[in-house]
């Protein structure tokens, strides 16, 4: 058994797609526009080296999330394969202004950094 994909609401589908292309080398599929739900558009992000996919979704009803922790999914973690890869991407993101938390070893033993998508969604990058 495996997770087929995860889905993420965003207000700016193009900015979200560009984020995954720029920082993860992802291939982003063409927009799908629903014929049954007016205004719904999604694009699938295909990460290199595997079957991992993220569905980016938007619609005119999407609002900014409150800046507090709520019940539900909090973030996605992407394993880059090495500490060096985490350090390199964290440096790039720091230069671009989207690094939320510098690389470190967490209390539970993970080597990670946290970057932020244009809409504020957190992405953990791990070794």
């Amino acid at each position: 058994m495996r997770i087929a994909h995860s889905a993420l609401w965003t207000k700016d589908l193009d900015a979200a797609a560009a984020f995954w292309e720029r920082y993860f080398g992802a291939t982003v599929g063409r927009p799908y526009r629903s014929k049954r739900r007016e205004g719904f558009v999604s694009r699938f992000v295909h990460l290199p080296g595997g079957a991992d996919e993220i569905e980016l979704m938007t619609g005119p009803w999407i609002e900014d999330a409150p800046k507090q922790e709520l019940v539900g999914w909090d973030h996605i973690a992407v394993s880059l394969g090495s500490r060096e890869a985490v350090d390199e991407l964290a440096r790039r993101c720091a230069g671009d202004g989207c690094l939320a938390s510098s690389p470190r070893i967490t209390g539970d033993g993970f080597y990670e950094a946290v970057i932020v998508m244009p809409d504020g969604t957190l992405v953990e990058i791990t070794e």
Side-chain angles (χ1 to χ4, degrees):
M1 194 179 308
R2 70 178 187 86
I3 295 174
H5 71 270
S6 26
L8 171 67
W9 287 111
T10 183
K11 288 184 82 170
D12 189 336
L13 194 59
D14 292 334
F19 173 89
W20 287 95
E21 289 172 328
R22 176 175 174 82
Y23 297 113
F24 296 97
T27 302
V28 180
R30 289 197 239 182
Y32 158 76
R33 299 178 193 293
S34 176
K35 293 178 180 160
R36 290 197 279 172
R37 189 169 188 198
E38 181 77 25
F40 176 88
V41 183
S42 72
R43 296 178 77 179
F44 273 89
V45 172
H46 307 275
L47 298 175
D52 300 330
E53 293 183 317
I54 300 165
E55 182 181 12
L56 302 174
M57 307 179 305
T58 196
W61 54 87
I62 302 304
E63 297 178 13
D64 288 328
K67 302 293 182 203
Q68 59 188 4
E69 294 175 338
L70 300 171
V71 172
W73 297 98
D74 178 68
H75 65 273
I76 189 166
V78 177
S79 174
L80 303 180
S82 71
R83 287 185 181 198
E84 294 78 18
V86 171
D87 292 342
E88 172 56 30
L89 184 52
R91 272 192 297 276
R92 285 181 55 207
C93 290
D96 291 345
C98 62
L99 179 67
S101 178
S102 296
R104 69 202 178 286
I105 297 175
T106 63
D108 48 3
F110 288 96
Y111 189 75
E112 68 180 41
V114 179
I115 61 177
V116 183
M117 291 180 57
D119 63 7
T121 300
L122 301 178
V123 179
E124 250 179 40
I125 51 175
T126 66
E127 62 181 312

